[in-house]
């Protein structure tokens, strides 16, 4: 995409997020925008950085590693929003600010062990399977509290909240049920005494429903960068 269209898309997403967050909550608690740049070149990230964007989301560790090298001169907060295999956890622990997709104790422990002690704790969210289907990533709602209680004992992690990718994007009633479940689960963690306040939900297609349901961090890719072409 040419850089003018990219900037235009970005500005209109910013305005949309601002408008929706004012519409659905107090005007002072804004919704954070994570620009999801997977499959798009470092040059696009640099363009948005120059517009003031600091939070970028990436899914594929190998692709992202290359971008951290190309963009090492920028003060980017990287959000990992894809699955992390154990053998790729070290670079994440060293270079990311956030991981949204923690879904098992083993990966949480590795990330904590590998997080350099001179860095602030890695911000993490637990990915929840809100769909009720086995095929989806994330932990089952009934297992969220136990995993959360483990994560808060890990010194180099800071549990921030919950993340989901709803499965019912085109069925509004089911979508809203999945998003509402997230709010319920977050309150359950708070009732158990955990200091969590993040709901990472909302993509290009469900941004409005997610913000209405209390999202604090939307992860927007194609509405900013355009249609993705995955390498074969
Ligand atoms: C790709 C991706 C996004 C962005 O999706 P868009 O539909 O392009 O906005 C958000 N979250 C996750 C987990 C993703 O994998």
């Amino acid at each position: 995409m040419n850089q003018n269209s990219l900037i235009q898309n970005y500005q209109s997403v910013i305005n949309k997020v601002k408008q929706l967050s004012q519409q659905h909550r107090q005007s002072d608690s804004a919704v954070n925008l994570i620009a999801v740049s997977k499959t798009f070149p470092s040059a696009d990230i640099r363009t948005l950085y120059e517009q003031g964007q600091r939070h970028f989301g990436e899914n594929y560790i190998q692709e992202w590693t290359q971008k951290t090298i190309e963009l090492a001169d920028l003060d980017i907060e990287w959000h990992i929003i894809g699955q992390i295999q154990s053998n790729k956890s070290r670079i994440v622990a060293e270079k990311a600010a956030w991981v949204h997709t923690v879904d098992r104790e083993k990966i949480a422990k590795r990330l904590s062990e590998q997080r350099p002690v001179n860095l602030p704790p890695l911000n993490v969210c637990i990915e929840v399977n809100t769909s009720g289907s086995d095929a989806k990533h994330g932990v089952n709602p009934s297992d969220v509290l136990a995993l959360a209680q483990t994560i808060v004992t890990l010194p180099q992690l800071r549990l921030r909240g919950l993340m989901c990718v709803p499965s019912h994007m085109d069925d509004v009633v089911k979508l809203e049920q999945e998003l509402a479940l997230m709010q319920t689960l977050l309150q359950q963690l708070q009732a158990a005494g955990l200091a969590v306040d993040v709901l990472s939900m909302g993509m290009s297609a469900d941004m409005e429903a997610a913000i209405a349901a209390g999202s604090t961090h939307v992860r927007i890719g194609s509405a900013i960068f355009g249609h993705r072409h995955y390498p074969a």
Side-chain angles (χ1 to χ4, degrees), residues 14-28:
I14 297 239
N15 290 335
K16 187 95 201 278
V17 169
K18 197 179 287 175
Q19 177 233 315
L20 288 170
S21 43
Q22 281 166 359
Q23 187 178 326
H24 291 288
R25 64 186 64 217
Q26 329 300 29
S27 50
D28 58 342

Side-chain angles (χ1 to χ4, degrees), residues 34-38 40 58-60 81-82 100-101 127 163-165 169 200 202-206 218-224 226 228 230:
I34 300 168
V36 175
S37 43
K38 65 178 174 224
F40 292 100
E58 290 277 340
N59 292 57
Y60 310 111
I81 61 171
H100 292 239
T101 42
E127 181 170 4
M163 175 271 200
C164 75
V165 179
M169 292 288 196
S200 166
M203 305 170 39
S204 297
D206 67 338
V218 291
R219 311 177 308 266
I220 307 298
S222 45
I224 298 174
R228 280 186 293 276
Y230 288 92

Side-chain angles (χ1 to χ4, degrees), residues 13 29 34 40 63 120 136 138 141 154 173 185 199 201 204:
V13 167
S29 65
I34 300 168
F40 292 100
E63 176 195 343
K136 297 289 283 186
L154 300 174
V173 174
L185 291 170
L199 284 178
M201 55 193 201
S204 297

Side-chain angles (χ1 to χ4, degrees), residues 16 44 46-47 76 85 89 105 134 153 157 166 169 177 216:
K16 187 95 201 278
D44 287 357
R46 193 173 286 276
T47 296
I76 290 176
Q85 287 159 346
S89 60
E105 202 176 302
D134 285 346
T153 68
L157 299 189
M169 292 288 196
Q177 280 170 356
T216 63

